Amino acid sequence: MLRLSMKSLALGSMVALSTATTAFAQIPVLQNLHLTQVPSFSCGPHTQTYVVKPLDNRQGRGIRCVKLSEGRPGTTIPKLAWYGEGNWGGATYRHVGQAIYRGSNLVGFASDIHGNGEDINNNFPGNLKVQILNGSTIRVTGAWNEEWQLVQATNYKPLPRPKTCGGYFDEYKVSDLAGNRNGEGLRCVLRVGPNNTTWFGNGNWEGSTYSHIGTRSFNGSGAGDICGKGFGPICNTFGWGSLKLTPVTGGFDVTGAWSEKWR
């Protein structure tokens, strides 16, 4: 009986080993596994998202959040305004710009925001040639040499939120006009091009952060929030003429859809 038991044990072990080998053989071996990163950055629904491509041999990448306006030849109303950021050759930048018709040509004005860790700090007082090639491509030449391509989203990690504008802007700190809301903010108003026309703003109201680009049309000023990751969860749009900027000593009172004090 002992000999029979030993044979049974050996036979059972062989069956178990055979079963285990079959089970292991059914486990797939993962080779050359590539994970594709899903595009995660967008400027949101109220400004258009463009990625930047150099027209020369520079290395770098960036984004442009573009707000279209109603400018046309013979007016000083912007055709478009934008907030941009990125890096060239590893050197970081961010800027605000606007494009206005002079004759039949779109002339671009832009200034770099600086003082928040950005490397590049330049000013472009009308030395940019802006061409809207089609519904999805904008080319900027002159002092720049780049092309913007419209996308729904892209792989991009935004720079940290700015806290100061730098020397090329009129800079204002923001609080509630009536003093009822808790919050603070920053407004960087372009000096190049038509005065007091285009600005970038960010801040928080009651602890909820926001960023926006504002500009002017024939009915008055409006703005669109940049709702992308890193820019803040508040995501609204403010139509042309919904914002009234009234000059006062030291800045502006902003009324209409907003109730803000810029000083």
Side-chain angles (χ1 to χ4, degrees):
M1 290 183 62
L2 179 60
R3 184 176 300 173
L4 180 60
S5 297
M6 292 295 292
K7 290 177 65 177
S8 299
L9 178 61
L11 181 60
S13 298
M14 291 174 64
V15 171
L17 180 60
S18 175
T19 303
T21 303
T22 302
F24 290 146
Q26 293 174 348
I27 298 175
V29 178
L30 299 180
Q31 295 180 343
N32 299 323
L33 179 63
H34 297 287
L35 298 178
T36 302
Q37 185 177 2
V38 177
S40 59
F41 177 83
S42 166
C43 297
H46 307 309
T47 60
Q48 295 183 337
T49 306
Y50 286 80
V51 294
V52 182
K53 299 179 180 179
L55 293 173
D56 49 27
N57 294 322
R58 289 176 299 166
Q59 298 297 313
R61 62 182 310 184
I63 54 96
R64 304 289 183 265
C65 298
V66 177
K67 182 170 179 60
L68 297 176
S69 186
E70 300 171 326
R72 55 178 180 260
T75 73
T76 58
I77 299 297
K79 176 65 177 177
L80 56 91
W82 73 89
Y83 168 86
E85 65 169 58
N87 79 84
W88 292 121
T92 57
Y93 68 87
R94 73 174 107 222
H95 64 250
V96 181
Q98 58 185 343
I100 297 161
Y101 278 104
R102 284 184 175 171
S104 59
N105 298 319
L106 265 180
V107 176
F109 303 80
S111 298
D112 285 337
I113 293 175
H114 195 254
N116 310 279
E118 304 92 348
D119 299 308
I120 299 174
N121 185 28
N122 291 317
N123 195 40
F124 305 93
N127 53 353
L128 305 176
K129 180 181 179 181
V130 180
Q131 297 171 281
I132 301 176
L133 300 183
N134 52 51
S136 61
T137 307
I138 297 173
R139 180 175 294 167
V140 185
T141 54
W144 295 358
N145 196 21
E146 59 189 46
E147 203 164 83
W148 308 352
Q149 189 67 41
L150 181 66
V151 296
Q152 290 186 339
T154 186
N155 296 321
Y156 181 75
K157 181 180 179 181
L159 299 176
R161 293 169 63 83
K163 297 180 180 179
T164 188
C165 303
Y168 294 125
F169 293 85
D170 291 329
E171 178 175 324
Y172 300 100
K173 301 300 183 183
V174 179
S175 59
D176 183 67
L177 184 60
N180 296 326
R181 287 180 299 172
N182 294 317
E184 59 184 2
L186 174 72
R187 301 292 181 267
C188 303
V189 181
L190 269 178
R191 291 178 185 159
V192 292
N195 289 335
N196 302 322
T197 297
T198 295
W199 73 90
F200 169 80
N202 71 8
N204 81 86
W205 293 118
E206 303 294 348
S208 187
T209 56
Y210 66 86
S211 303
H212 66 250
I213 185 78
T215 192
R216 187 163 56 89
S217 189
F218 295 101
N219 293 334
S221 296
D225 284 336
I226 301 172
C227 315
K229 182 179 180 181
F231 285 85
I234 296 178
C235 193
N236 296 312
T237 187
F238 304 92
W240 305 121
S242 66
L243 305 177
K244 182 179 180 181
L245 278 64
T246 303
V248 297
T249 302
F252 294 90
D253 288 344
V254 183
T255 54
W258 296 355
S259 179
E260 298 182 349
K261 179 167 63 176
W262 299 6
R263 298 292 189 271

